Amino acid sequence: MNQDKPIFAVLGAGHGGKAMAADLAVRGFQVRLFNRTYERVDMIKRRGGIELETEQGERLFGPIQTVTSDISEALDGADVIMVVVPATAHRNMATLCTPHLRDGQIVVLNPGRTCGAMEFRQVLREQGCKAKVVVAEAQTFIFASRSMGPVQAKIFRTKNAVPLAALPATDTPKVLTALRLAYPQFIPAKNVLHTSLDNMGAVFHPALTILNSARIEDTGGNFEFYHEGVTPTVARVLEVVDRERVTVAAALGIRTITALEWLQQAYAATGENLYEAIRANPGYSGVKAPRSLAHRYIFEDVPMSLVPIASLGEQFGVSTRAIDALINLASILHRTDYRRRGRTLDKLGLEGLSVSEITQYVEEGTLREGP
Amino acid sequence: MNQDKPIFAVLGAGHGGKAMAADLAVRGFQVRLFNRTYERVDMIKRRGGIELETEQGERLFGPIQTVTSDISEALDGADVIMVVVPATAHRNMATLCTPHLRDGQIVVLNPGRTCGAMEFRQVLREQGCKAKVVVAEAQTFIFASRSMGPVQAKIFRTKNAVPLAALPATDTPKVLTALRLAYPQFIPAKNVLHTSLDNMGAVFHPALTILNSARIEDTGGNFEFYHEGVTPTVARVLEVVDRERVTVAAALGIRTITALEWLQQAYAATGENLYEAIRANPGYSGVKAPRSLAHRYIFEDVPMSLVPIASLGEQFGVSTRAIDALINLASILHRTDYRRRGRTLDKLGLEGLSVSEITQYVEEGTLREGP
């Protein structure tokens, strides 16, 4: 690795990937931008980069040397591979990468949702990947950003601190070192169970979308998602989902913060209960509901966040009735079996493992083959 | 029994009970009106009856001889006991009645929801009722009616045909004969499995209330419950709930009409799917959503309609995932374990029985004791 300026591959040219590629490029990093569908990046290739509007309102140009839909070209020579795609595409991305990965490369899922790094690693194993790579996951995406046109991206906000863990955790320092120059905002999480289970989207997104489903579809999402879509009674469902998440984590020996604690930490929003804290959060003001039910709050958060939590709960005897109910209703609303498509423990190579075996895996990387 | 004019007891003085008592009284039937809470009927007692506004807009007075919160006074001498209380009160009403029932009396649940007559019979057995009574359930309430004041009731509409079955079905003719003069609208259903499973409220009410829960609580129900609260995607949940109901019925050897068929029969509303048929139904126009989530669409329909359907499904190997999800979410929304409070097969005396044993019970009244 180039110790001073690592070379980045950014996989995915959506709202997140374009912003990250542009942001790295304007700051002088070499970037290879990959997108599976070439049409999506053709204009960037022609233009030679991406126009970025920064948080401060500056308009800068980030020159991008390599723009490609050829994964081998994207990965060749990259030190850090930033995966910036919906979690539903992580499996496919891992399959695409496998033949082209080289010893020492670092893969970071931005973010992993729940058990993203475990799924990525499992695919590498299944595909017989020989390269010694590092796989890590961020707990959330570092930017609030949006694609503003074919070669335009805008960053609204950069988060101050984004927990990140490698799988195994012994690799986390390597990742932070490699990222330090580009993104000092990344801070170490204890291990991927923490980044995976401190997933607040899992608590808020599917429940609120489902309990507002008729209104979303009837009005095209024309209401305040949090300030009108959360009522005292509806907030009870969020609280039970949150309690199930926290209890599953506890069964794995992990202490996660509650959604109430998170609202206080992230937004200084306080209250006796989730309803009060959400209403007290001015950060939610003006946030509209999804425009339709065909939204990642269901098609990403259900299979990639709720399903792995429910699957862990099942293996370790934690009832996840509220989460199960949401998975089932989401499956009906979308006519999709999200449990089958989601991250269940068998797909993560964790089926039948004990808590201490899983802990050993996330900490040290030793994985006993399941039954 | 007085063959010409049976004497009625009406149990319950809510929207339904007051209308029925007044309607019977204005037509010259002797009525004993019972309500557990005396304060609710004190004014009727003082006034000597109920003022009824009929479907045709006439204002009539129905004189009521006996107005009481003493169940023995209400039942004494009554030929037909019309139970007009929420299904959640059927168990308690059966317990209250047991010591005072006499041979030959006829009890009609208006309506039974799902398995109301079975629950009533089971309570009579548990309480050691010795009287040979007839127990029947109507599939729906005969009126659309409303209490308009302490001594006022209004009937908006009288249904043309209301299926009714006794438990056992061999008693159904007795009930129809007794009711013929008062309510020729009652028609025979094959047995109580039909009246119980042809329960359209079970399909529409809980699912629509839950999938509109945030909007109901946020707006106080100020939107069109069917024409805005049912969207193409939300209607899929109704369809799956309906399919589960129909499949549970099929497992019991019963053919029930689908919700789509029912919309066509009851309203001549047609469509390719439930969404289209509901939108095409002018009868739903102007029907507002419940004003709050503390509504019988949840607290009655979940334990007394969805829970028995799910419980039958469980015993006979029919998956009821959508219904289960709704029961679980309702339980969380209301902080009430509706499965525990609801009509499960153990409470109905049906646990462990085969389909042929249940069929024999509903047809002939022979009940093998469960395991």
Side-chain angles (χ1 to χ4, degrees):
Chain A
M1 189 194 302
N2 179 333
Q3 284 298 335
D4 297 326
K5 285 235 161 183
I7 297 172
F8 284 90
V10 173
L11 310 190
H15 292 300
K18 279 169 72 180
M20 184 172 271
D23 175 67
L24 288 165
V26 299
R27 294 191 289 130
F29 291 93
Q30 264 195 59
V31 175
R32 287 100 204 266
L33 179 62
F34 166 85
N35 200 69
R36 254 195 325 173
T37 308
Y38 183 73
E39 290 65 39
R40 189 98 165 260
V41 289
D42 179 47
M43 294 281 282
I44 298 173
K45 173 102 170 183
R46 289 162 189 260
R47 181 80 173 79
I50 297 172
E51 297 163 18
L52 177 70
E53 185 177 343
T54 70
E55 221 171 325
Q56 293 75 33
E58 295 169 294
R59 288 169 183 278
L60 304 171
F61 185 76
I64 298 181
Q65 295 77 13
T66 306
V67 178
T68 181
S69 60
D70 174 348
I71 190 74
S72 74
E73 190 184 2
L75 299 193
D76 184 39
D79 298 307
V80 179
I81 300 158
M82 296 299 246
V83 179
V84 194
V85 297
T88 46
H90 285 166
R91 169 169 290 274
N92 181 261
M93 213 46 86
T95 305
L96 275 179
C97 287
T98 299
H100 309 287
L101 289 169
R102 296 290 170 262
D103 286 358
Q105 284 184 316
I106 292 171
V107 176
V108 181
L109 306 180
N110 290 278
R113 304 294 168 200
T114 299
C115 301
M118 293 206 240
E119 182 179 60
F120 204 96
R121 271 260 176 247
Q122 176 67 6
V123 174
L124 297 189
R125 267 193 300 278
E126 287 167 6
Q127 304 284 322
C129 179
K130 294 280 183 275
K132 290 183 176 24
V133 296
V134 172
V135 177
E137 66 182 28
Q139 189 190 297
T140 182
F141 189 52
I142 191 167
F143 302 126
S145 62
R146 188 168 286 272
S147 170
M148 309 298 281
V151 298
Q152 287 80 22
K154 178 168 176 176
I155 292 175
F156 297 91
R157 196 163 68 84
T158 305
K159 284 161 196 162
N160 294 325
V162 177
L164 174 149
L167 175 62
T170 45
D171 281 343
T172 304
K174 280 186 217 165
V175 184
L176 293 176
T177 302
L179 290 174
R180 186 173 299 144
L181 197 61
Y183 294 119
Q185 295 91 341
F186 285 113
I187 58 172
K190 191 162 177 305
N191 60 47
V192 294
L193 291 178
H194 288 266
T195 43
S196 286
L197 290 167
D198 273 342
N199 178 350
M200 294 302 154
V203 175
F204 291 103
H205 296 162
L208 283 189
T209 304
I210 289 167
L211 295 171
N212 283 284
S213 53
R215 192 178 197 176
I216 286 169
E217 196 158 47
D218 182 51
T219 68
N222 189 22
F223 64 95
E224 299 249 329
F225 194 46
Y226 293 94
H227 283 171
E228 296 178 318
V230 180
T231 62
T233 307
V234 162
R236 294 177 187 171
V237 177
L238 301 183
E239 285 172 344
V240 174
V241 171
D242 193 50
R243 197 182 314 139
E244 291 176 353
R245 177 187 64 85
V246 168
T247 309
V248 166
L252 287 159
I254 300 295
R255 160 85 171 96
T256 60
I257 59 170
T258 65
L260 197 60
E261 290 166 342
W262 175 78
L263 280 169
Q264 173 147 30
Q265 287 182 19
Y267 295 99
T270 60
E272 280 294 302
N273 51 44
L274 268 186
Y275 171 72
E276 289 183 13
I278 287 166
R279 287 281 164 141
N281 180 10
Y284 284 148
S285 212
V287 178
K288 292 284 178 183
R291 286 190 211 172
S292 91
L293 293 175
H295 193 273
R296 68 180 176 85
Y297 285 179
I298 291 186
F299 65 63
E300 182 177 11
D301 285 306
V302 171
M304 302 297 143
S305 300
L306 292 186
V307 167
I309 295 172
S311 189
L312 285 164
E314 193 182 6
Q315 179 147 316
F316 298 111
V318 178
S319 161
T320 54
R321 280 194 165 191
I323 290 175
D324 293 343
L326 295 172
I327 294 169
N328 287 344
L329 286 178
S331 296
I332 294 166
L333 288 168
H334 280 188
R335 289 185 176 143
T336 298
D337 186 345
Y338 279 123
R339 203 169 265 104
R340 194 173 61 75
R341 291 168 71 121
R343 286 177 178 155
T344 45
L345 296 202
D346 55 327
K347 291 190 195 156
L348 303 172
L350 302 182
E351 201 173 33
L353 298 191
S354 67
V355 169
S356 65
E357 286 168 331
I358 290 177
T359 305
Q360 195 172 9
Y361 175 45
V362 300
E363 288 287 345
E364 296 161 32
T366 329
L367 178 62
R368 173 173 82 74
E369 290 297 315
Chain B
M1 187 195 303
N2 179 334
Q3 284 299 336
D4 298 327
K5 285 234 161 184
I7 297 173
F8 283 89
V10 173
L11 310 190
H15 292 300
K18 278 169 72 179
M20 183 173 273
D23 175 66
L24 288 166
V26 299
R27 294 192 288 132
F29 291 93
Q30 263 195 60
V31 175
R32 288 97 204 268
L33 179 62
F34 166 84
N35 200 68
R36 256 195 324 174
T37 308
Y38 183 72
E39 288 66 38
R40 189 96 165 262
V41 288
D42 180 45
M43 294 280 282
I44 298 172
K45 172 104 171 178
R46 291 162 188 261
R47 182 79 174 77
I50 297 173
E51 297 164 15
L52 177 70
E53 185 177 342
T54 69
E55 221 171 327
Q56 292 75 30
E58 295 170 293
R59 286 166 186 279
L60 305 170
F61 185 74
I64 298 182
Q65 294 76 13
T66 306
V67 179
T68 180
S69 61
D70 174 347
I71 190 74
S72 73
E73 190 183 2
L75 299 194
D76 185 37
D79 299 305
V80 179
I81 299 158
M82 296 298 246
V83 179
V84 194
V85 297
T88 46
H90 284 167
R91 169 169 291 274
N92 182 261
M93 212 48 82
T95 305
L96 275 179
C97 288
T98 298
H100 310 287
L101 290 170
R102 297 288 170 263
D103 286 357
Q105 284 184 316
I106 291 170
V107 177
V108 182
L109 306 181
N110 289 279
R113 305 292 169 201
T114 300
C115 301
M118 294 207 237
E119 184 180 59
F120 204 95
R121 273 262 174 243
Q122 176 67 5
V123 174
L124 297 189
R125 268 192 300 276
E126 287 167 6
Q127 305 283 323
C129 179
K130 294 278 183 275
K132 289 183 178 19
V133 297
V134 173
V135 177
E137 66 182 27
Q139 189 190 298
T140 182
F141 188 53
I142 191 168
F143 302 127
S145 61
R146 187 169 289 273
S147 169
M148 308 299 281
V151 299
Q152 287 80 23
K154 178 169 176 175
I155 292 174
F156 297 92
R157 196 164 68 84
T158 305
K159 285 162 197 161
N160 294 326
V162 177
L164 174 149
L167 175 62
T170 45
D171 282 343
T172 303
K174 282 186 215 166
V175 183
L176 293 176
T177 301
L179 289 175
R180 187 174 298 146
L181 196 61
Y183 295 118
Q185 295 91 342
F186 284 113
I187 58 172
K190 191 164 178 304
N191 59 48
V192 293
L193 291 177
H194 288 266
T195 43
S196 286
L197 290 166
D198 273 342
N199 178 348
M200 294 301 155
V203 175
F204 291 103
H205 296 162
L208 284 189
T209 304
I210 288 168
L211 295 171
N212 283 284
S213 53
R215 192 178 197 176
I216 287 170
E217 196 159 48
D218 183 50
T219 68
N222 188 23
F223 63 97
E224 299 250 330
F225 193 46
Y226 293 94
H227 283 172
E228 296 178 318
V230 180
T231 62
T233 308
V234 162
R236 295 178 187 170
V237 177
L238 302 182
E239 285 172 345
V240 175
V241 170
D242 193 50
R243 199 182 313 140
E244 291 176 353
R245 177 186 65 83
V246 169
T247 309
V248 166
L252 286 159
I254 299 294
R255 160 85 170 95
T256 59
I257 58 170
T258 65
L260 197 59
E261 291 166 341
W262 175 78
L263 280 168
Q264 173 146 30
Q265 287 183 17
Y267 295 99
T270 59
E272 280 295 300
N273 52 44
L274 269 185
Y275 170 70
E276 289 183 12
I278 288 166
R279 287 281 164 139
N281 179 10
Y284 284 149
S285 214
V287 178
K288 292 284 178 183
R291 286 190 210 173
S292 90
L293 293 175
H295 193 274
R296 68 180 177 84
Y297 285 179
I298 291 185
F299 64 62
E300 181 178 12
D301 284 307
V302 171
M304 301 298 144
S305 300
L306 292 186
V307 167
I309 295 172
S311 189
L312 285 164
E314 194 182 4
Q315 180 147 316
F316 298 110
V318 178
S319 163
T320 55
R321 281 196 163 189
I323 290 175
D324 292 343
L326 295 172
I327 294 169
N328 287 344
L329 285 178
S331 297
I332 294 166
L333 288 167
H334 280 189
R335 289 186 176 139
T336 298
D337 186 344
Y338 279 122
R339 203 169 264 102
R340 194 172 61 73
R341 290 168 72 123
R343 285 177 178 156
T344 44
L345 296 201
D346 55 327
K347 291 190 193 154
L348 303 172
L350 303 182
E351 203 174 32
L353 298 192
S354 67
V355 169
S356 64
E357 286 169 331
I358 290 177
T359 304
Q360 194 171 10
Y361 175 44
V362 299
E363 288 288 345
E364 297 161 31
T366 330
L367 179 61
R368 173 174 82 74
E369 291 295 316

